[in-house]
Amino acid sequence: MLSLPIFLVASVVKIVLVIFILLTAVAYTVWLERKVVGHMQNRWGPSRVGPFGLLQPLADGVKFLLKEDLTPPHVYRPLFIAAPMIAVICALTSISVIPFGTAIPVAGHIIPLQITDLNIGLLVILGVTSIGVYGVALAGWSSNSKYSLLGGLRASAQMVSYEICLGLSLVGVLIVSGSFSLQQIVESQRGYFWGFIPKWNIFYGCQFVAFFIYLMAAYAETNRIPFDLPEAETELVAGYHTEYSAMKFAMFFMAEYANMITVACLATILFLGGGNGPLFGPPLLRLILPTFYFVAKVFVFLFTYIWVRGTLPRFRYDQLMAFGWKFLFPLAIANLVVTALVVAYRS
Amino acid sequence: MLHLVLFLVFGAICVAGAINLLVQSHPISSALSLVVVMASLAVEYLLLGAEFVAAVQVIVYAGAVMVLFVFVIMLLNAGVEERTKGSRVALILGIPGVLAGGLLVAWVLIERTGTATVGLGALPGFPKTIGNLLFHDFLLPFEVTSVLVLIAIMGAVVLASRPEPKNPEKES
């Protein structure tokens, strides 16, 4: 156990560091997306600011800060201002229970690479993201414009529907690991099946079905193509953030990308073994490698996000609802029953 | 000490949210006050040690039920409530009624539990304990409740579905 002052110092340092890394990651995920989608569509993407356009996120940030922050006269002001804040706060809070790697010794103290390890860690993430729906819904309503309202309505219906599939797809993993603590879920995936297949949850029985459900539900939860109907620009201008400008718009953007990163971290922890991987080399390398594996897996997941965006068209709204309720939902329940039976049989 | 202070602060927020829910004239503001009530209740559960219940409270009530409330209000585009002076009967009967009800509840609580109350952090919070309670000790009530919920869902479906028009020409 750490003493109180050391605990406080370590926590503050960790929080500042995690928020800083998360925001940088958000900025560079936007850059990566523009670059990769650009190449997929035979364009260059950002290329002017800095080498490979690497300083483009900075330029964007400065632009968002310096632009005029318009508040249209017909909006309901308190909620119009609060909505982007709710969205971004919820998006940044959910990163706090994610373990990024093994514990590292700093000046004689063992510091875990995680802001806090709760024994209901997974539920905290689900709870915080379910509150995040209000940011989008209220933005749509308080803007007092038809496009925003439709976007907000679509977003809340879609997120509530797919949250059920998301939750059910995770229950299988919870049955296998027997814990809500993300640290222990990662711990339970250490080792190998038959000596060479990593003992990740995705390879456990039929959990790849759960991974597929999670993937679909995660795309819908973060309002990404092919489920980006809340901001479908061909029909709704920009959906729930039509009336927003400057930093308030940027906050929605940040929330969306931070949510993407959280979802990718969660997928890594629950299905892809977190920071588990082959350890070798001197002690220092052994400490760094888990974090490296973690970041690499998150990167692959984020790249898939962008890849899908460059490949798939958008669903129609009734297709989205039918897919969620009539296909994913029964599939998730079937997966849950089969996993429970398998675990009960083995124990 | 910190627990007690937090408990009192969030209890105050909870009551303030509940009062605001009644005072606000716009449905969305009322619904959002209810979200505040739900969220602060979750913090109270957390402080009592029931962390699983707290998380479920946030996910189910604040995250799903209230989102649907807000959704319906947005969809119906409900306007600002009309203010009335309130009826005199409610004033004469209401205040004594509320006082009597409050006294009754307080009396039952004191009578049944004595001065002993649940200490902060004393409730069984672990998901494992709750699972054992739900699916082992109280399995029958749990299953009966789930059938009850199923009946409610079926009733809602029946009520919400429009009857088939018998004469299509007349309907339009």
Side-chain angles (χ1 to χ4, degrees), chain A residues 97-163:
Chain A
V97 287
I98 303 273
F100 297 100
T102 50
I104 49 164
V106 178
H109 302 286
I110 305 288
I111 310 280
L113 281 184
Q114 183 184 17
I115 292 179
T116 176
D117 182 28
L118 299 173
N119 58 358
I120 48 163
L122 187 59
L123 292 176
V124 168
I125 293 187
L126 289 180
V128 171
T129 42
S130 67
I131 296 289
V133 181
Y134 287 109
V136 175
L138 292 178
W141 181 79
S142 66
S143 294
N144 205 1
S145 107
K146 56 189 171 204
Y147 299 121
S148 303
L149 182 65
L150 282 172
L153 284 174
R154 280 181 178 190
S156 37
Q158 170 179 336
M159 286 161 103
V160 167
S161 307
Y162 276 77
E163 214 166 67

Side-chain angles (χ1 to χ4, degrees), chain B residues 34-46:
Chain B
L34 196 51
V35 175
V36 171
V37 173
M38 301 288 186
S40 42
L41 268 182
V43 178
E44 300 283 61
Y45 291 148
L46 194 66

Side-chain angles (χ1 to χ4, degrees), chain A residues 95 98 100 214 260-270 294 298 301:
Chain A
I95 203 82
I98 303 273
F100 297 100
Y214 177 83
M260 272 169 69
I261 292 174
T262 310
V263 157
C265 289
L266 209 54
T268 307
I269 290 164
L270 293 170
F294 184 83
V298 169
F301 199 89

